[in-house]
Amino acid sequence: MGFISSVRELGSLVPYLRRYTGVYLVGFGCVVGSNLLNTLAPRLLQQGIDALRTADPVTGVRRAALWLVLAAIAGGVLRYGMRQLLNGVSRRVETDLRGDLFRKLMSLPAAYFDRTSTGDLMARATNDLLAARMVAGPAVMYLLDTITRTAIMVPAMFAVNPTLAALALAPLAVLPVVEGILGRRIHSRTLAIQDQFGVLTEFVRQNISGARIVRAYNQETPESATFARLNEDYAAKNLHLAKAQAALNPLLMSLGGLSSLVVMWTGGRLVMAGQVTVGEFVGFFIYLALLVWPLVFLGWAINLTFRGTAAMSRINAIFQEPNSLPDPDAPLALPPHRSARAVRFAGVSFRHPGGPDREWVLDDVTFYLPAGQSLGIVGVTGAGKTALAELLVRLYDP
C-alpha cells in the first residue's frame, strides 16, 4: 500500500480524534515540555563536569546537580501526564469507533451478512479495533515524541560542534529507507493475518453453534484436523510478520550504535586537540543517547501505524457498504398490527443477491390480504415461503 493510500485509510480516524482536541493538545504540550527538560540534562551535566576545572568546583557541581534533579522530576511528571492523557483518550476513540461500527452493522442489509462470515466481522470488531486504538494513542504519542526530541536535540548537537554532529547523524539518514521497506512488509503481512483470523474465528463459531450436529455425525476428528490446519496457517502468518518486526529494531539500534562509534572516535580526537571540552564531549554523547533511544520506540510506533492502517482498511470497508434501503425514510418493517393496514404484493419477483446466475425464488407473485384477515402459505422446501416472509418485513427488497 502506498503512502497516499495509507493516509487515506487512517484519515477516517481524524473525526474521532477531533472530538478530543483539547485532550490531545494538552498531551502534546506534555510531550514538548518533557523533551525540553530532557534537553537540559546534557547541558547541566556538561556544566557540572566543566566546573571541576574552575576555582570553586563544589559550588558549580552542586548547582548543576540541583537543577538536574529538578529537571528530572518535572520531566517525569510531564511524561506521566503524556501517557495518561494520550493513552487514556485513545480508549475513548476506540469506544466511539466501536459504537459507530456496531450501528453501521445494524443498518446493513441481510444480503451483506449472507456473503460475509460472522467470524470475519468479529475479527474486525475486536482485533482491528484494537489496532486502530493503538494508532490513536501509543503510535501518535511516540511518533510525536521522537519528532519533537529530534527537533530539539539536533540543533543542540550542532551548537556543540557542527562537524561532530554531521558525522554522528549521517548513519541515521538511512532510517527512512529502512522503515519504508519494512513498513510495507508489515502492512501486507498484517492484512493476511487479520484475514486468516477471521477465517479461524468463523470456523470456531460454526463448530460451537453446531456442536450437536458435529457429535451426531461423528465429525469431531475431521473438524479437529481442519482446525489444527487453520491454526497452523495462522501461526505461520504471525511468524512471517514477526520476522519483519524483529528486523526493524536491531537495524535501528545498529545505526544508533554506528553513530555512537563515530562520536567516540571523532569526539575523542577533538577533545585531545582541545577543540571540545570534556564536558561538551560528555554532553554531546548524552544528546546522542537521548536521540538514539527513541529509535526503538519509533520502530514500534511505525509498526503500530502500519498495522493500524491495515486494520482501518478493513473497518472502512464496512463503513463504505450501502445501508439497507436507498430511501432512509422508508419503513424497515410493517407497522404494528393494531394499525390495521392491508398487505398487497403486485407482480413481485425475487432472487437472493449474489449474481445473475441465481435462480428466481419468487416469480410474479400477486396477492392481496385485507386488514384483519389471515393468509396461509404452503409449499415444499425451497418453494419461497421464507423468502416471502423476509420480503414482508423488508429484510430484502424485491
Side-chain angles (χ1 to χ4, degrees):
M1 176 176 286
F3 176 76
I4 296 177
S5 299
S6 300
V7 172
R8 187 183 300 115
E9 296 295 351
L10 289 178
S12 58
L13 268 178
V14 173
Y16 295 93
L17 305 182
R18 195 179 294 124
R19 299 176 187 177
Y20 306 99
T21 302
V23 179
Y24 274 105
L25 288 177
V26 175
F28 293 164
C30 291
V31 172
V32 175
S34 64
N35 282 312
L36 286 173
L37 290 170
N38 282 333
T39 311
L40 294 177
R43 186 173 302 173
L44 293 170
L45 188 61
Q46 168 190 331
Q47 293 175 358
I49 293 174
D50 288 341
L52 296 173
R53 303 176 62 182
T54 62
D56 187 9
V58 175
T59 302
V61 172
R62 185 180 298 168
R63 184 185 301 111
L66 177 61
W67 283 109
L68 190 61
V69 170
L70 293 175
I73 294 174
V77 171
L78 289 176
R79 293 196 76 78
Y80 170 79
M82 171 187 79
R83 290 181 171 86
Q84 183 72 13
L85 290 169
L86 297 181
N87 286 335
V89 76
S90 69
R91 296 286 183 179
R92 297 182 181 276
V93 171
E94 179 189 15
T95 300
D96 295 344
L97 185 58
R98 178 179 287 111
D100 288 348
L101 180 61
F102 184 79
R103 282 187 288 272
K104 178 64 179 181
L105 289 172
M106 291 298 97
S107 70
L108 291 176
Y112 176 78
F113 298 97
D114 290 342
R115 68 175 187 268
T116 308
S117 68
T118 303
D120 182 61
L121 294 177
M122 291 173 62
R124 300 188 194 206
T126 53
N127 276 18
D128 288 339
L129 278 177
L130 174 62
R133 180 188 69 81
M134 296 300 284
V135 174
V140 170
M141 179 175 66
Y142 285 115
L143 283 173
L144 181 67
D145 184 48
T146 302
I147 293 171
T148 305
R149 186 172 296 198
T150 302
I152 295 173
M153 299 295 177
V154 170
M157 293 168 68
F158 273 93
V160 174
N161 189 281
T163 303
L164 184 60
L167 292 173
L169 295 175
L172 303 183
V174 187
L175 278 178
V177 179
V178 173
E179 291 163 354
I181 294 173
L182 292 177
R184 285 192 294 271
R185 294 181 181 178
I186 289 171
H187 176 267
S188 61
R189 295 176 187 184
T190 299
L191 273 178
I193 287 174
Q194 294 300 84
D195 290 339
Q196 181 66 19
F197 183 74
V199 173
L200 186 64
T201 305
E202 174 63 13
F203 183 82
V204 173
R205 185 200 66 80
Q206 290 178 355
N207 278 268
I208 291 176
S209 61
R212 293 184 178 183
I213 297 176
V214 173
R215 290 287 184 87
Y217 288 90
N218 194 26
Q219 293 298 301
E220 295 92 338
T221 300
E223 291 299 303
S224 297
T226 303
F227 177 78
R229 191 190 78 252
L230 293 175
N231 205 21
E232 288 172 0
D233 291 343
Y234 182 64
K237 286 180 169 60
N238 273 281
L239 291 174
H240 198 47
L241 173 63
K243 291 180 181 179
Q245 293 175 331
L248 187 56
N249 284 351
L251 284 173
L252 296 178
M253 293 305 296
S254 296
L255 293 173
L258 183 59
S259 294
S260 299
L261 182 62
V262 170
V263 172
M264 288 288 292
W265 176 260
T266 306
R269 295 171 66 89
L270 291 175
V271 170
M272 290 185 292
Q275 299 179 23
V276 174
T277 67
V278 175
E280 289 175 335
F281 174 71
V282 174
F284 187 93
F285 211 91
I286 300 299
Y287 280 131
L288 182 62
L290 290 173
L291 188 60
V292 169
W293 176 248
L295 294 180
V296 177
F297 295 107
L298 178 62
W300 184 59
I302 291 171
N303 177 25
L304 291 180
T305 301
F306 277 101
R307 297 194 71 165
T309 302
M312 284 306 302
S313 68
R314 287 162 49 86
I315 293 173
N316 289 337
I318 297 178
F319 283 124
Q320 291 164 5
E321 287 287 334
N323 289 343
S324 296
L325 301 172
D327 180 7
D329 297 325
L332 290 175
L334 287 176
H337 67 279
R338 56 180 174 270
S339 63
R341 294 189 181 182
V343 177
R344 181 191 301 275
F345 273 52
V348 173
S349 299
F350 173 74
R351 59 185 173 191
H352 287 284
D357 297 333
R358 288 183 177 261
E359 295 182 358
W360 290 99
V361 180
L362 301 174
D363 186 17
D364 195 23
V365 175
T366 299
F367 67 87
Y368 175 69
L369 181 61
Q373 295 190 14
S374 300
L375 174 67
I377 302 172
V378 296
V380 297
T381 301
K385 303 183 297 297
T386 301
L388 190 144
E390 290 173 338
L391 290 175
L392 191 65
V393 294
R394 247 190 138 171
L395 291 178
Y396 296 95
D397 278 338

